[in-house]
Each structure stands twice: as structure tokens, then as C-alpha cells.
Amino acid sequence: MKALLALIVGDPLADRSVPQTGVTARLTVFVAAVMAFLAVIALAVSLTTNRVATVWAEELAQSATLRLPADPATADALLLYALEVLETTPGVSTVRALSQDEQQALLEPWFGPDLPLDALPMPQLIEIVADGDGYDVDGLRARLEGQVPGAILDDHAAWREPLLQAASRVRLIGWTVILLIGATVAAMITLAAQAALAANVQVISVLRLVGATDTYIARAFVRRFTLRAGAGAIIGAVFGVGVLALMPQGDASGSLLMDVGFAGAEWLWPLLIPLLAAIVAFFATRAAAFRRLREQT
Amino acid sequence: MIELDNVSYGYRGNALFSQLSLTLAPGSFHFLTGPSGAGKTTLLRLCYADLRAMRGKVRIFGEDAGALNRDAVAMSRRRIGVVHQDCQFLDHLSIAENIALPLTVSGRAGEAANDLEELLNWVGLGPQAGQLPPELSGGERQRAALARAVIVSPDVIIADEPTGNVDWEMSQRILNLLIELNKMGKTILIATHDLAMIRSAKSDVSARILRLTDGQLMQAGAEL
């Protein structure tokens, strides 16, 4: 804590030993701001994917669809049998046969709005919602096979797993982008620090001559670049958070594109970005400064 | 104080000098003379551990300079005041801030105020305290460099052509300052081409005059 305070407050006399370098300073702040903005967006995408995938997975895990054979002669009887079986199954919370309009709405994206559903042999769909503990899928399948021949229970497992895998990959990409941004900040700060050190060869030579240690000389550069990177990252993070806050929000129905942003405590995550940028700048400048000092003197 | 024992040094495979020995005893006064390119500046840099001997040993305050780490070298510089011919200042700082720099880097900036004023007056730069180094004349810069070298009250003062860019009157003034420091017990080593300055010093100080030529360090004096 003391060291952190010393870094922020600094030693005015030591700071004055190294002249200000205007262009490098402005570029450092600018690049740190841009990188922090991109990091906030990448973080938001990653966290949103995680959130939406969780919602989708929970919804899919709790719901299932029972499809009855499209035989007009037995349809009503099968529907009654099926509802009876489902309603007496432990773990099933609600059971609802989809109406003809709802079934038509499901087919509309593929066949258009004028599909004459009455004239076609359409299977009846029943929506099943499980309670918290769920039901025995294999047991239900066995009962349906005996009492409702031809009924097919789809518990959505076939596409819930790929969906979760895809969400996991998007999250991984998001974190990889954040890591790459961190590496880019480190590389950029290293280059800027090396340029500043190279421009101050004479200053370093004089400081060594009068007995300055490497730590003393490096501190002036490290403090300067750490504060610049931190300040730039604060600007970029604030801008990124502002852009996300102004984006139109969805109805919490799990739409990825409409929900990009942060929710609840997630809004605290962007606070870490300036801190991380400053830490990266601190170590990158320190390494560059000590390397340069060893080479020069 | 500082001892060179059979030291060899060269650049790009060419030996500048070999098996050279020199001892700077406490309170001694040495002039180092010799032709340009003989290695005077190199010899001085070995004395304040700015270079490391290729062979032989350099001992600074009893420590083997070749074994000193970078922090230890920095610490030894705080006991050795160095005056360069080209002075080497930080051009963005005032002369007063430049002179106080050795105190600043050693964390003793608080001691600067009184010492600094006294020192500025001693070298006759009181009115120029707030000026930037490029605004000063060659002689004023040399005196400022001397003031910077002595502000931490070092045990040894090493000066490389301290009167190289100044007129006779100014060179006498700088020499008198160095003699005064020697009388205060400081060890002085001056590299110079200025034989007239050496002759003028002989009456005021018991100085050892060394001549570095063809890689050999010899006692001089009679011819001066």
C-alpha cells in the first residue's frame, strides 16, 4: 500500500530529473484508452454470452416436447392418454397441448402464413415443463411407449449440449481477446518506454554519474508510464461503459444481440481494466527500463 | 582510496595501456597529463568504475571494482565527485537544481538549501542559480560542474580537463577551488593538457605529476 501510494504521489524532484516527452505521453494515453474500450466491449460480449447461455440452458433443461403420431383416427384418444400419463408423472410441473394456431406459428417461418393446416396430417405437440428436480426421462419414455404408441419425447438434449459448447467457445474467444489486448498494451508500453529511454541517454548518463541507482532512474519512467496507461484506460473504460449503457436493452428473453452489456454486479468488472492496464504498464516499463540501463551503462 | 593494480585496457583489441598501476592516497593531489588519445579519460573512468579493467584490479575504497554490482557502483559514485570536460548537465533543470542533483538522487534533497547557497557563492554562481545550463558560459559551466561534484562532500574528486574550455583567469580560479578542496582533505586527480596550470599549482600544493604516454604511466615533474 505504501509502495502504491509512493508510486501515485511520486517524488517531484526525481520526476523532474527526466524531461517530459509530449508525443510519447499522448500516444500512450490514447492507445491505453482505445485498448481499454475494446477490453470493455470484449468483456461485455463474454459475460453476456455466459448469461444468455445460462438462461437458454436452464430453459431447455426444464422443458421437453412430446410429439404424437399424425393419425386423425387416433389423435384425440392418444392426446388424452398422453396427458394422463404426463400429469401423473412425478417431476412434471405443467403439461400443455399446443393449439392449432401455435403449431401453425411454429411452421410459419418455413411454409409461410397460408399453410392449410386442417388439410394436412399434423402431429400434435405437447409442451412439458419440469419442476426443480425434474423427472425420470427414461421412465417416462417407457410408460409412453406402453400407453401412447408412436409418441416421441424430445428432451432437447440433442441441441442443448452444442449450444452450451458454442457459448463456451464464445466466452473463450472473449477472454482470449482480453488477454491479447493486455499483451498489446504491454508491447506498446514497452516500445514507448524504450523510445523515451533512448531519447534520454544523456539524462541517464548524468544521473548515473552523480550516483543514481538503476531503481531511482527507472522509477521516474515507470511511474510516468504507469499513470499514463492507468489514466488512458480510465478514459477508455468509462467510454466503453457509457456506450454499453446507452445501447437499447432487450426484454431479458435471452436475445444475445439485444442484451450485450453488463447486469448487476457485472458492472464492477470494467473497474478492473484500468487497474490491470496500470499493472501491465508498471511491469512492462520496469522490465524495459532495467534492460536499457544494463545495456547503456 | 583508489588503487589500480597492473590494470590493462583497450578498445576493439588494441591495448591502450597494460599492467598500469596507480595509487591515490587519501588527501593526495595528482595531475595526469599526456598526449591526446593516450588514455587519460579511460584511466579516469576506471577510477570511478565507469569502465571495468580487462586485466588487473581496480580497488575503490578497498572494494574490488570488478566485483561491485550496479547499485554498489552507484553508491561509490556518491563518494567520488566527477567533473567532465563537457560538464554534462540536465539542460531542462536550473543550474541550482543540477548542482543539487547528487543530493537529490541520494535522497538528501532536504540538505540542499543551505549547502547549495554556500556552494553557489563559493564558485561565484549565486546570481546564475536559476539559469539553465545552455545559458551559461564555458567557465561558469565548469565551475557549476565542480560545485556539483563536491556538494555531497566526496572523498575523491576526479576532473577531466576541467579548464579545457576556459581562459587563463578562469582556469586559475578553478584550480584554486580544487587546491582549496585538497587542503580540506579531499583526494584530487586532474587530467589536463594545461602545463601552465600545473606549473602554477606547484607553489601552492604538493602535487604528484604523472604522464601517460605509449601505454606507460611515468612520474613527471622535472621537465615542468
Side-chain angles (χ1 to χ4, degrees):
Chain A
M1 194 65 193
K2 197 177 170 184
L4 183 67
L5 196 67
L7 182 75
I8 294 168
V9 175
D11 175 355
L13 287 169
D15 283 349
R16 274 180 52 70
S17 304
V18 179
Q20 297 285 341
T21 46
V23 177
T24 320
R26 285 192 290 275
L27 277 177
T28 308
V29 173
F30 173 73
V31 175
V34 171
M35 290 299 167
F37 175 80
L38 294 175
V40 168
I41 301 299
L43 187 63
V45 169
S46 184
L47 291 174
T48 302
T49 306
N50 188 45
R51 199 167 56 242
V52 172
T54 304
V55 171
W56 286 350
E58 281 174 1
E59 285 177 358
L60 291 173
Q62 288 199 312
S63 69
T65 305
L66 184 67
R67 195 173 79 222
L68 303 178
D71 181 358
T74 58
D76 291 343
L78 286 176
L79 178 59
L80 283 175
Y81 292 145
L83 290 173
E84 191 182 330
V85 168
L86 293 170
E87 282 165 357
T88 56
T89 301
V92 171
S93 170
T94 58
V95 177
R96 186 175 69 84
L98 267 63
S99 68
Q100 204 167 32
D101 287 345
E102 285 176 312
Q103 298 207 158
Q104 180 138 16
L106 290 172
L107 294 171
E108 199 175 291
W110 285 271
F111 297 105
D114 302 324
L115 180 68
L117 215 57
D118 294 344
L120 295 172
M122 289 295 298
Q124 174 65 51
L125 300 178
I126 300 172
E127 182 190 73
I128 306 163
V129 177
D131 62 16
D133 297 330
Y135 51 85
D136 174 10
V137 176
D138 293 333
L140 178 59
R141 279 212 175 94
R143 287 179 64 205
L144 287 167
E145 200 175 316
Q147 296 180 41
V148 192
I152 295 170
L153 178 66
D154 177 6
D155 64 354
H156 304 157
W159 54 292
R160 190 172 69 226
E161 282 309 311
L163 177 73
L164 290 175
Q165 280 180 5
S168 171
R169 284 192 196 109
V170 172
R171 275 202 306 275
L172 187 65
I173 289 168
W175 287 110
T176 306
V177 167
I178 290 167
L179 278 178
L180 287 175
I181 287 170
T184 307
V185 168
M188 184 278 303
I189 295 282
T190 300
L191 285 175
Q194 281 179 339
L197 287 156
N200 286 293
V201 168
Q202 171 77 4
V203 170
I204 292 167
S205 172
V206 171
L207 290 172
R208 285 292 294 175
L209 185 71
V210 299
T213 59
D214 285 356
T215 306
Y216 180 92
I217 299 169
R219 197 185 297 142
F221 291 95
V222 169
R223 179 175 178 275
R224 204 166 283 182
F225 279 96
T226 302
L227 293 183
R228 283 173 194 164
I234 288 172
I235 294 168
V238 167
F239 192 59
V241 167
V243 166
L244 291 172
L246 291 174
M247 278 182 74
Q249 295 297 301
D251 55 2
S253 60
S255 165
L256 178 62
L257 290 175
M258 291 297 285
D259 286 339
V260 172
F262 301 108
E266 286 176 4
W267 286 100
L268 296 174
W269 276 89
L271 293 177
L272 290 177
I273 288 173
L275 185 65
L276 288 174
I279 290 170
V280 166
F282 176 87
F283 286 107
T285 315
R286 192 177 154 83
F290 279 104
R291 191 168 53 243
R292 178 82 197 191
L293 288 168
R294 276 195 301 273
E295 287 167 4
Q296 186 182 323
T297 54
Chain B
M1 285 276 160
I2 296 175
E3 189 181 350
L4 277 67
D5 183 12
N6 284 314
V7 167
S8 300
Y9 200 86
Y11 293 99
R12 296 187 187 87
N14 297 320
L16 198 55
F17 44 75
S18 58
Q19 295 190 311
L20 184 150
S21 295
L22 169 68
T23 300
L24 301 180
S28 63
F29 197 120
H30 289 76
F31 283 109
L32 176 64
T33 184
S36 293
K40 296 190 295 296
T41 299
T42 300
L43 184 57
L44 297 191
R45 290 177 69 190
L46 285 164
C47 288
Y48 60 88
D50 196 35
L51 295 174
R52 295 205 170 190
M54 289 172 171
R55 275 189 292 277
K57 273 206 170 154
V58 176
R59 289 188 196 85
I60 299 175
F61 306 118
E63 302 277 343
D64 179 1
L68 294 177
N69 64 28
R70 295 177 61 79
D71 278 353
V73 168
M75 294 304 155
S76 75
R77 297 268 171 84
R78 296 178 187 181
R79 297 180 64 189
I80 304 173
V82 180
V83 182
H84 271 286
Q85 184 177 6
D86 57 0
C87 299
Q88 294 194 347
F89 289 112
L90 302 185
D91 287 345
H92 63 289
L93 298 184
S94 71
I95 277 298
E97 287 172 317
N98 267 288
I99 291 172
L101 206 54
L103 287 174
T104 307
V105 302
S106 55
R108 294 159 57 195
E111 300 172 24
N114 290 335
D115 291 350
L116 191 58
E117 195 179 341
E118 194 180 329
L119 200 53
L120 281 164
N121 291 328
W122 182 64
V123 295
L125 287 175
Q128 288 86 0
Q131 288 185 263
L132 296 176
E135 296 167 359
L136 267 59
S137 70
E140 288 169 334
R141 287 164 61 86
Q142 290 286 9
R143 279 183 282 147
L146 185 59
R148 184 182 64 189
V150 302
I151 195 165
V152 285
S153 192
D155 299 309
V156 181
I157 294 156
I158 295 175
D160 190 1
E161 301 284 2
T163 59
N165 295 322
V166 296
D167 58 25
W168 168 254
E169 192 183 338
M170 187 57 69
S171 85
Q172 284 303 300
R173 207 163 155 185
I174 290 169
L175 177 64
N176 288 337
L177 291 172
L178 288 163
I179 290 171
E180 206 175 317
L181 286 165
N182 180 245
K183 285 177 178 167
M184 291 160 72
K186 309 298 181 192
T187 305
I188 311 283
L189 172 61
I190 304 172
T192 182
H193 280 107
D194 191 348
L195 300 183
M197 182 182 79
I198 298 173
R199 283 189 205 104
S200 73
K202 283 170 86 173
S203 58
D204 296 315
V205 68
S206 170
R208 193 173 167 214
I209 303 161
L210 304 167
R211 183 171 172 80
L212 182 62
T213 181
D214 298 329
Q216 301 292 314
L217 189 63
M218 295 171 292
Q219 180 86 32
E223 71 274 25
L224 297 172

